Amino acid sequence: MLGKIKWGIHPDTHKSPTEGKAIESNELPNRVILPVQQHIGAPSVPIVKKGDLVKKGQLLAEAKAPVSSNVHATISGKVVDVSDQPHPVLGKCQAIAIESDGADEWAEGVLIERDWQKLNPAEILEIIKEAGIVGLGGATFPTHIKLAPPSGSKVDTLIINAAECEPYLTADHRIMLEYTERVITGIQIIQKVLGVSNVIVGIEDNKMDAVKVMAHAAAGTGIKVAAVPTRYPQGAEKTLIKTLLKREVPSGKLPLSIGVVVQNVGTAVAICDAVRNGIPLIERVVTVSGGAIQEPKNLKLRIGTTFAEAIAQCGGLKSPAKKLIMGGPLMGAAQYTTDVPVIKGASGILAFAREEVNDGPESPCIRCGSCLDACPMGLNPSMLSILGERSFVEEAVNEYHLFDCMECGCCTYVCPAKRKIIHYIRYSKKMSAQKGGK
Amino acid sequence: MSDDIQKEVAPEEAVQKEAVKKAAAKKEAVPKEDAANEVETLDYMIVSSSPHLFDDNSIKKIMWTVNLTLAPAVIFSIYYFGLQALITLLAGSLSAVAFEAASQKIMKKKITIDDGSAFLCGLLLAMCLPPAVPIFVPIVGSFIAIVVAKHSMGGLGYNIFNPAHIGRAALMVSWPVLMTSWTTITTAADVTTSATPLNILKLQGYEAVVNTFGSQTELYKALFLGLRNGSIGETCVVLLTLGGLFLIYKRIIDWVVPVTMIGTVGVLTWMFGGTNGILSGDPLFHMMAGGLIIGAFFMATDMVTTPITRKGKVIFAAGAGIITVLIRLLGGYPEGVCYSILLMNCVTPLIDRYIQPTLYGRGEIG
Ligand code: SF4
Ligand code: SF4
């Protein structure tokens, strides 16, 4: 059959500025801004007020809704504000601002050493929930829910996503090299919760050092480590599942429906820290890179550190940033200010110099077909962009499967007519939602 | 762009302006001592939908690459047919560029003649004309191609028909005699002729073609090297094929198109092209004669006017091949490549409507 054999794109990886650099521990931020919503689901509800003194690891905002996540203090100090603040994804969001007292003291009741082997799955899930852990690859879905499949669904495979297919980002790469033991323990804890023995760690083959280190560490544990071809978006759940298992997730369904759960490596580390050492999710590894950054680095940052402070820790900007991005260059969100905080899902902070912004003026589609070749979902992005341009939303939804699009950006990356295909797709999705379609 | 989209875009611009204001305000507000700590930002930052990284491919790159791959065949034709050919080629391509600029100016659009698409269109049109046509012929052809077939439909991307072929078809209808007056050449067998091989085939039969060139081997050699009568740019099979291979290597065209179209013509003419019943035709002759090679590599692969999916492209190419053979063997014209491609252009929207790429996760694979 002349079906599609290829999908995805091969952009320059731009990983060399940071892939060889060890993760640096942060200087203590003077101030952190902690939005009550850093995850998919309902916002958490603040339980502190302005003027309260808080300590590191103390619960600040509680998950009340079923799909939500706790937020903890990431430094010790004083709550100076509970108000709307700039948010890297939502624009504005209620947030708790803490000014550091410089002591960096832990709260009571955290830092409990536990023997995780003696815990049962329900206890582990409770700890994960308490610790406010969400998917750290960027999707930020609350982990305690992802790891608790509804009764009746059977999980046969756990995939640990370490593809890190976005250009520039090297945080997961460094995590595997430097936190190897915690990654493995985290995976074993997840295995215990889900009760699965089949585990595969998928790593893109541009990180063979990580593949070797992980394979060595995994020896004897039954955890498999697989090098997958470097190709964006290899690290998207659906494509990684297809690559590793030759299974496809049915449209509109979760990987769970075919017995698969995917977790990011960074999340595995957070789980290990929470379950074994009682540390809630208060910091994460962030790659700070891009042509405008003086000295690109992998930083371990407290959640809530502002982008401005993170960039300052990398020597500041060497040229004016033309674009500031949270996340990777293909799926990340552009920022208009450096006052936004690092949230749980921030895998990278990228500041692009003028010459890195190689966007051109848009012209009509010349029907070259490149976007169809690139789309990992087998969609017709050309048609979706044209329908979006003309606001033919229903046709896009019903005949061109608008909602199958995972907004990976491949189509827009390859388009020689520089069409902002994703923009039209997002617009159509929004219009459809407004009409009450989905 | 519709108004709705405009509205959708508007908040982003507003955000940008806010950022500008903010940055400006900050610069004033921040006292000198603290300014060192402040991250030196920007005049303004671009806020847009992801992705933020783009391939450096562009329409301009694609079009000029195609132009460049035609260069060897063009140079050969000037060498073989002489100054006449050069004048026709220049008149065609340059007037096409001028017409494009004029159309865009009149319609108050951005002038995009530097993207190479008008030049390519005029060049391809001229390559499909007899070498010695009067200079107004390529100019009128380019007018029809660019103004009528391209810009009246909305410009690059919106035209349904291959503009160069529309230009040629219109010229065929308007000046049938001029369009079929070929130069006189002398073949390897010292025969002077002013007919194309397909003309001879249509009027006098296959034997006469072979006799004109001396032997079958000489015939193949003449076709392969381009030492025969025909339109300016269609004769040199070897250089056109090399150009086409380069485009395949550059992933600008999909190999399935030329392979399917030329293959279909080969198989069908072998089966039905002979006089001694089935399977007695000469497929090699038919594959190399006329405008099939240039058509299959450069016209049936035109992105705008052919299907967007690979399956669709195969259907298109096979259809064009079948129609070509029908016209050559049964029709009134000796050659059918141009019309076959135009006819298939008509059904392209239909093909694209029904042939869609294979979706992920809808049970079509695995
Ligand atoms: S249409 Fe959606 S899924 Fe397909 S390439 Fe574009 S963004 Fe990715
Ligand atoms: S890549 Fe761009 S020009 Fe090519 S078919 Fe897709 S939308 Fe059209």
Side-chain angles (χ1 to χ4, degrees), chain A residues 365-371 382 385 411 414-417 419 421, chain B residues 308:
Chain A
C365 170
I366 57 164
R367 303 166 32 81
C368 67
S370 309
C371 54
S382 151
S385 79
C411 51
V414 296
C415 180
R419 291 176 65 71
I421 302 170
Chain B
I308 200 164

Side-chain angles (χ1 to χ4, degrees), chain B residues 12-30:
Chain B
E12 288 183 356
E13 276 163 16
V15 165
Q16 275 187 23
K17 283 198 198 109
E18 191 186 315
V20 177
K21 261 191 258 150
K22 208 163 176 180
K26 209 185 257 171
K27 261 181 205 137
E28 283 160 30
V30 174

Side-chain angles (χ1 to χ4, degrees), chain A residues 238 248 251 329 367 399 426, chain B residues 49 52 54 306 353 360-361:
Chain A
K238 291 183 173 181
E248 288 190 359
S251 169
R367 303 166 32 81
E399 288 171 49
R426 289 198 176 116
Chain B
S49 230
H52 310 290
F54 303 91
T306 63
R353 188 81 184 73
Y360 175 106

Side-chain angles (χ1 to χ4, degrees), chain A residues 275-317:
Chain A
V275 176
R276 195 171 63 175
N277 308 97
I279 303 172
L281 180 58
I282 59 162
E283 57 190 10
R284 67 158 297 143
V285 183
V286 180
T287 301
V288 185
S289 189
I293 298 285
Q294 189 66 256
E295 202 192 326
K297 286 179 182 174
N298 300 299
L299 294 177
K300 191 166 78 185
L301 291 175
R302 298 288 163 88
I303 312 278
T305 308
T306 61
F307 279 28
E309 223 168 311
I311 292 172
Q313 285 185 35
C314 297
L317 295 174

Side-chain angles (χ1 to χ4, degrees), chain B residues 20-361:
Chain B
V20 177
K21 261 191 258 150
K22 208 163 176 180
K26 209 185 257 171
K27 261 181 205 137
E28 283 160 30
V30 174
K32 280 263 149 64
E33 306 87 78
D34 289 359
N37 287 338
E38 190 69 22
V39 174
E40 181 57 46
T41 35
L42 19 112
D43 297 326
Y44 72 92
M45 286 188 289
I46 300 171
V47 180
S48 63
S49 230
S50 63
H52 310 290
L53 203 63
F54 303 91
D55 194 33
D56 56 8
N57 194 12
S58 66
I59 296 180
K60 197 166 160 179
K61 252 195 194 162
I62 294 174
M63 295 297 172
W64 285 112
T65 310
V66 179
N67 278 317
L68 207 70
T69 53
L70 284 168
V74 165
I75 293 167
F76 168 84
S77 67
I78 297 167
Y79 154 79
Y80 188 63
F81 292 114
L83 195 62
Q84 281 287 357
L86 177 64
I87 293 168
T88 308
L89 289 166
L90 282 178
S93 47
L94 297 182
S95 66
V97 172
F99 287 131
E100 171 134 311
S103 311
Q104 286 173 329
K105 191 147 188 149
I106 290 166
M107 296 195 229
K108 299 201 170 58
K109 286 188 182 168
K110 194 171 162 250
I111 295 186
T112 57
I113 47 174
D114 65 333
D115 73 6
S117 68
F119 188 91
L120 177 63
C121 174
L123 183 66
L124 281 172
L125 169 74
M127 289 175 83
C128 295
L129 299 177
V133 287
I135 191 165
F136 75 87
V137 172
I139 295 175
V140 172
S142 284
F143 176 83
I144 292 164
I146 296 291
V147 178
V148 179
K150 188 172 172 189
H151 283 289
S152 72
M153 310 275 272
L156 184 68
Y158 293 116
N159 50 301
I160 295 174
F161 295 102
N162 188 320
H165 270 345
I166 285 283
R168 181 174 184 276
L171 294 174
M172 254 333 245
V173 178
S174 314
W175 292 282
V177 180
L178 283 179
M179 288 294 289
T180 47
S181 305
W182 311 99
T183 24
T184 309
I185 57 141
T186 312
T187 67
D190 262 342
V191 179
T192 22
T193 170
S194 51
T196 68
L198 282 174
N199 265 323
I200 305 175
L201 178 76
K202 184 113 251 168
L203 299 172
Q204 295 162 273
Y206 183 67
E207 286 302 305
V209 185
V210 176
N211 290 340
T212 311
F213 289 85
S215 67
Q216 204 174 33
T217 331
E218 283 300 323
L219 169 64
Y220 291 156
K221 207 170 112 191
L223 288 170
F224 189 65
L225 298 175
L227 307 173
R228 53 122 168 148
N229 238 327
S231 301
I232 299 173
E234 73 177 26
T235 62
C236 190
V237 169
V238 55
L239 293 179
L240 288 170
T241 307
L242 286 176
L245 290 177
F246 182 72
L247 290 182
I248 291 169
Y249 163 74
K250 281 279 179 190
R251 293 175 183 279
I252 290 178
I253 66 173
D254 193 332
W255 62 267
V256 296
V257 176
V259 167
T260 311
M261 185 166 174
I262 299 170
T264 308
V265 170
V267 170
L268 290 179
T269 50
W270 175 50
M271 287 167 71
F272 306 113
T275 42
N276 303 323
I278 206 159
L279 297 186
S280 67
D282 181 352
L284 266 184
F285 168 77
H286 274 284
M287 281 153 69
M288 293 194 289
L292 182 61
I293 298 293
I294 191 173
F297 279 111
F298 294 94
M299 310 279 211
T301 55
D302 176 47
M303 294 165 174
V304 177
T305 56
T306 63
I308 200 164
T309 59
R310 182 173 244 203
K311 273 180 264 178
K313 286 180 166 95
V314 172
I315 297 174
F316 180 98
I322 292 169
I323 299 170
T324 301
V325 175
L326 284 175
I327 297 178
R328 280 190 188 177
L329 299 185
L330 305 172
Y333 286 110
E335 173 58 314
V337 171
C338 165
Y339 294 108
S340 73
I341 290 175
L342 284 176
L343 279 170
M344 289 310 291
N345 286 161
C346 298
V347 291
T348 295
L350 201 68
I351 297 176
D352 272 351
R353 188 81 184 73
Y354 289 103
I355 307 290
Q356 288 296 322
T358 312
L359 288 161
Y360 175 106

